[in-house]
Amino acid sequence: MTKRKTPEELRSHRWYGVNDLRSFGHRSRTAQMGYNRDEYAGKPVIAILNTWSEINACHTHFKQRVEEVKRGIWQAGGFPIELPVQTLSEPFQKPTTMLYRNFLAMEAEETLRSYPADGVVLMGGCDKTTPGLLMGAISMDLPAIFLPAGPMLRGNWNGVTLGSGSDSWKYWAELRAGKITQEDWQGIEGGIARSPGHCMTMGTASTMTSAAEALGFTLPGFASIPAADSRHAQMAAKTGMRIVEMVWEDLKPSDLITAGAVDNAVTTCLALSGSTNAIVHMIALARRAGVELTLDRYDEISRRTPVLANIRPTGAYLMEDFFYAGGLRAMLAELGDLIDRSQRTVNGHTLGENLEGARIFNDDVIRRRDKPLLPDSSLAVLRGNIAPNGAVIKPGAAEPHLLVHTGRAVVFSDYNDMAARIDDEALDIDESCVIVLQHAGPVGAPGMPEWGQLPIPRKLLQKGVRDMVRISDARMSGTSYGACVLHVAPESFVGGPFALVQSGDLIELDVPRRKLNVLVSDAELDRRKAAWVKPAPRFTRGYGALHQVHVMQADQGCDFDFLQRGGARPASVSASSYEDKPGEPEIH
Ligand code: FES
């Protein structure tokens, strides 16, 4: 039988249970908040890291959900403490939430370290909140369970089903091409996001919450439940109940994240034809846990993994349909031997045990292995003389004829240059060209924004062109599509060879052979390298200055170098730090 903790072994005992001046202060201040001593004494203290705010549309229901989580914690004999953390609202935060993912990860870790938490419920869903919370929790390594926000309901406009992001891009292009009216566009605006929850296409949110479930961090089936469904509320209460038991069992992230669990999560992302952003996040998460996930490993798994989820932007349906078709459990069960079923999960069972009885109810939405949406390679890792450390493309989201293509580069030196010239009638460009955007990476943009679905010039849209080869060191929204090569590493701003590409160069893309090269001689590239001038730093103070010095490149997950496992960790602060005694043990 698994050894259970005693109340005296709880981390929070150092705050509340001992008889000294500091704990007198902790108890008297808890009394000030209206609690009787027997409401918390000897109970697991459960921190609830809540990313709710009035500017995060995807998390509007978290105000209610947190009450359901607390209900579960109380019923299981725990003591809940809600702690607000960075909200990372994808549609509103400039220049990009990615700039602040590591900020949330640090905040999550340090909040848990500095307060009397025995375990934690992580409430996230909108894109970067999931990896940010998980990264912090992995580094802190207290019992942790993830509560996914759940996707919103299908969008609707005049009887047409709308998907987050994907249909914004699609109808924006139609508007620019003169195919729909301003009135149509306003109708789409009103109907594309019509309930609480995160984007319901297979964007970064749905990809990462599904990855969290495959990693073992959520109760089984939770990641697929729409936010507005009453089963989502029920699952929130169950999550609160379960974390209390996890504390007694001392079931921690380090017990869940193994190389096998990481492979399961990567396989999941690929079978969903998930967001390319997941690559960066999965590498960062895995490294926090001491698992070395490389781009090559990602490509290797991609080559063997069929796409089973028929969800936009690669497929036709939305997350609500996916849930009704059986959800993630059904898809993982269908993946069979591609999933390592022996991995542990937060409910104490193995992933395999959690998949027992899972069934597909609509095999057009969740395809059978013998009838996949794509047989393999939903994602490809490219290398070549402009991306020696890698770049990525989502072949299934591109027009097939562009996957082997050589074209003349039209280069924009940064986002403002592109915005100023892309629709210029005089721009020398046609559909065979390759659009290049530089200075859009982790340091240069800064924060590697989702600019990678570079716009097609208006004059080509009007001719009916809807896809072209586009290359950048930026990311792309998971809801985007097109022949977009992303995450070029090292980025141009720090002197990667991508900085040396000039308008007029020929660029060769060969996805089947995983190649991306500029057809310019080494001698010419050396000459350009010698003439390259390092740009001035973007920041001279504040968080931006910290970010630009410490952020790693896309192929390494864009974590801060000092936050990886094995890096220098801040010293723990003892519960009695204001009256430290020599030899006092650390609190975790
Ligand atoms: Fe929050 Fe898309 S805007 S998940």
Side-chain angles (χ1 to χ4, degrees):
M1 193 174 138
T2 323
K3 183 180 175 304
R4 290 171 69 82
K5 276 191 171 171
T6 65
E8 292 71 30
E9 288 171 331
L10 293 175
R11 185 171 176 262
S12 60
H13 180 76
R14 298 288 314 277
W15 271 266
Y16 295 113
V18 294
N19 195 15
D20 62 14
L21 179 59
R22 297 309 304 171
S23 40
F24 163 83
H26 303 143
R27 287 191 297 266
S28 67
R29 292 302 178 157
T30 306
Q32 182 186 10
M33 292 187 276
Y35 291 108
N36 299 300
R37 197 162 169 174
D38 55 6
E39 289 183 84
Y40 64 87
K43 296 182 175 182
V45 175
I46 307 299
I48 307 172
L49 299 190
N50 191 352
T51 49
W52 176 88
S53 81
E54 287 187 342
I55 200 156
N56 196 328
C58 300
H59 297 174
T60 50
H61 57 312
F62 273 3
K63 242 184 171 175
Q64 176 62 34
R65 287 295 172 276
V66 76
E67 298 307 320
E68 286 135 6
V69 171
K70 287 179 189 171
R71 189 176 86 213
I73 293 171
W74 284 120
Q75 289 184 44
F79 181 56
I81 297 179
E82 182 183 357
L83 294 159
V85 289
Q86 279 255 346
T87 196
L88 300 190
S89 175
E90 192 66 25
F92 289 97
Q93 196 162 23
K94 306 285 185 209
T96 164
T97 50
M98 186 62 189
L99 183 63
Y100 300 102
R101 182 201 66 180
N102 296 347
F103 202 146
L104 173 60
M106 291 174 76
E107 187 185 11
E109 180 180 349
E110 300 308 322
T111 299
L112 295 174
R113 174 167 291 117
S114 54
Y115 289 112
D118 294 307
V120 57
V121 177
L122 308 163
M123 295 181 65
C126 190
D127 287 20
K128 314 304 179 293
T129 55
T130 303
L133 288 168
L134 287 175
M135 287 161 71
I138 290 166
S139 291
M140 189 57 198
D141 206 27
L142 292 176
I145 191 166
F146 183 70
L147 185 145
M152 63 179 106
L153 301 177
R154 299 182 198 97
N156 186 282
W157 163 65
N158 291 353
V160 177
T161 297
L162 297 175
S164 316
S166 306
D167 281 311
S168 311
W169 326 128
K170 176 179 161 187
Y171 286 105
W172 177 240
E174 297 303 321
L175 183 72
R176 291 173 72 221
K179 304 282 186 204
I180 63 169
T181 65
Q182 274 295 340
E183 196 184 339
D184 293 332
W185 183 237
Q186 276 179 26
I188 293 165
E189 180 181 303
I192 200 166
R194 60 184 187 90
S195 84
H198 58 67
C199 292
M200 75 317 234
T201 38
M202 191 45 69
T204 305
S206 302
T207 310
M208 287 310 300
T209 54
S210 301
E213 180 168 334
L215 268 178
F217 271 88
T218 77
L219 293 178
F222 201 169
S224 311
I225 306 175
D229 196 298
S230 59
R231 283 162 285 191
H232 194 272
Q234 294 162 21
M235 196 67 98
K238 281 189 184 164
T239 296
M241 294 179 88
R242 178 58 197 154
I243 185 64
V244 177
E245 273 306 295
M246 286 173 69
V247 170
W248 292 126
E249 293 168 10
D250 201 24
L251 180 58
K252 304 184 297 299
S254 55
D255 299 313
L256 306 179
I257 304 193
T258 62
V262 168
D263 279 0
N264 280 346
V266 170
T267 302
T268 300
C269 295
L270 293 162
L272 292 167
S273 190
S275 165
T276 43
N277 286 322
I279 304 164
V280 177
H281 300 319
M282 282 306 308
I283 290 173
L285 279 171
R287 284 179 162 218
R288 289 284 184 118
V291 176
E292 184 62 24
L293 174 62
T294 62
L295 281 180
D296 289 339
R297 179 66 180 154
Y298 225 103
D299 194 67
E300 199 180 316
I301 297 175
S302 180
R303 287 175 191 265
R304 74 177 188 209
T305 305
V307 174
L308 301 186
N310 185 6
I311 302 180
R312 300 182 200 183
T314 302
Y317 296 95
L318 295 172
M319 284 300 287
E320 191 179 343
D321 307 298
F322 186 68
F323 177 57
Y324 302 147
L328 187 66
R329 287 178 64 243
M331 191 193 81
L332 293 178
E334 185 65 18
L335 282 167
D337 60 350
L338 296 177
I339 291 291
D340 177 351
R341 293 172 174 240
S342 69
Q343 299 300 319
R344 292 180 79 185
T345 73
V346 284
N347 71 352
H349 297 292
T350 64
L351 187 58
E353 287 166 345
N354 290 342
L355 296 182
E356 277 170 22
R359 282 172 53 202
I360 294 174
F361 300 105
N362 180 335
D363 61 10
D364 191 33
V365 178
I366 301 175
R367 296 294 184 86
R368 306 280 176 191
R369 279 219 19 211
D370 59 0
K371 271 195 176 169
L373 195 67
L374 296 172
D376 53 42
S377 299
S378 67
L379 187 134
V381 175
L382 310 167
R383 289 183 198 275
N385 64 359
I386 52 175
N389 293 347
V392 302
I393 187 170
K394 202 171 173 181
E399 287 191 12
H401 73 277
L402 293 172
L403 297 177
V404 179
H405 180 82
T406 300
R408 172 171 58 86
V410 177
V411 178
F412 298 99
S413 59
D414 61 24
Y415 186 85
N416 290 340
D417 180 31
M418 183 180 72
R421 294 196 292 127
I422 191 77
D423 284 338
D424 187 340
E425 284 292 322
L427 184 68
D428 182 15
I429 192 166
D430 62 40
E431 57 270 40
S432 70
C433 290
V434 174
I435 306 177
V436 170
L437 175 67
Q438 296 165 332
H439 289 184
V443 182
M448 204 183 174
E450 292 181 341
W451 296 337
Q453 189 189 29
L454 309 179
I456 292 172
R458 181 182 289 126
K459 64 181 179 185
L460 299 182
L461 283 174
Q462 286 167 344
K463 270 178 62 184
V465 178
R466 291 293 183 271
D467 199 5
M468 291 173 67
V469 175
R470 292 162 267 180
I471 307 176
S472 71
D473 40 20
R475 295 174 301 117
M476 170 173 96
S477 164
T479 62
S480 300
Y481 49 85
C484 302
V485 177
L486 312 157
H487 306 192
V488 170
E491 65 175 301
S492 50
F493 193 87
V494 301
F498 187 51
L500 310 179
V501 178
Q502 297 179 356
S503 285
D505 292 345
L506 283 181
I507 292 186
E508 180 188 47
L509 169 68
D510 188 335
V511 176
R513 291 173 54 233
R514 304 296 199 257
K515 294 290 178 204
L516 178 68
N517 285 297
V518 61
L519 303 181
V520 170
S521 70
D522 290 347
E524 172 60 14
L525 289 176
D526 287 346
R527 190 191 65 74
R528 293 181 191 178
K529 177 78 187 169
W532 180 76
V533 179
K534 188 176 179 187
R538 294 282 195 209
F539 299 93
T540 55
R541 64 171 299 281
Y543 175 76
L546 176 87
H547 184 277
Q548 73 192 3
V549 171
H550 292 288
V551 72
M552 295 186 294
Q553 290 293 295
D555 60 302
Q556 298 173 306
C558 295
D559 202 356
F560 289 157
D561 49 12
F562 61 91
L563 290 175
Q564 291 186 98
R565 185 153 166 169
R569 288 169 60 126
S572 291
V573 179
S574 91
S576 304
S577 59
Y578 295 115
E579 46 171 343
D580 255 340
K581 306 172 201 77
E584 178 128 21
E586 292 187 343
I587 50 180
H588 76 278

